[in-house]
Amino acid sequence: MTTELSYKVMQIGEAMLEIEQDYIDLFEDEELKEKIHNAAKLLKEVSEQMVDIHAERMLNWQKYKRRMVQQGFLNVKKKK
């Protein structure tokens, strides 16, 4: 996988993994939930072919998100 493609997959993966972990309960459609879980699983498999730093960042998205918030680069709204 090229570095550019690896970076793009990382961006998609961070979003998908966050949706799966933090927002899955907001969806009522069980079929959609299953699609989200499958997409997250596939992204984890694809991470083995990614540039190491991109795979690490994608799989550990919470750590990087927390760091961005602490440094003031990202504002996070509290979930209701």
Side-chain angles (χ1 to χ4, degrees):
M1 180 179 301
T2 66
T3 301
E4 182 179 357
L5 181 57
S6 177
Y7 182 77
K8 290 176 180 181
V9 171
M10 176 198 72
Q11 291 176 308
I12 294 166
E14 286 175 328
M16 183 56 67
L17 294 173
E18 182 174 0
I19 289 167
E20 181 192 34
Q21 182 170 325
D22 291 349
Y23 301 101
I24 194 80
D25 295 329
L26 299 176
F27 300 103
E28 295 179 11
D29 185 338
E30 291 301 319
E31 189 174 320
L32 178 58
K33 288 180 181 183
E34 186 63 29
K35 288 178 181 179
I36 292 169
H37 288 305
N38 287 339
K41 180 181 175 185
L42 291 171
L43 283 162
K44 290 173 185 174
E45 290 178 21
V46 168
S47 73
E48 296 173 10
Q49 303 300 316
M50 294 169 63
V51 173
D52 289 344
I53 190 69
H54 295 156
E56 194 272 333
R57 179 174 157 184
M58 181 182 79
L59 297 173
N60 297 296
W61 64 269
Q62 297 124 321
K63 179 174 82 173
Y64 290 93
K65 182 176 178 180
R66 194 169 33 252
R67 186 180 304 157
M68 295 295 283
V69 169
Q70 290 171 345
Q71 293 175 351
F73 293 115
L74 184 63
N75 292 321
V76 177
K77 294 181 181 179
K78 303 266 187 206
K79 289 190 288 183
K80 294 180 180 181

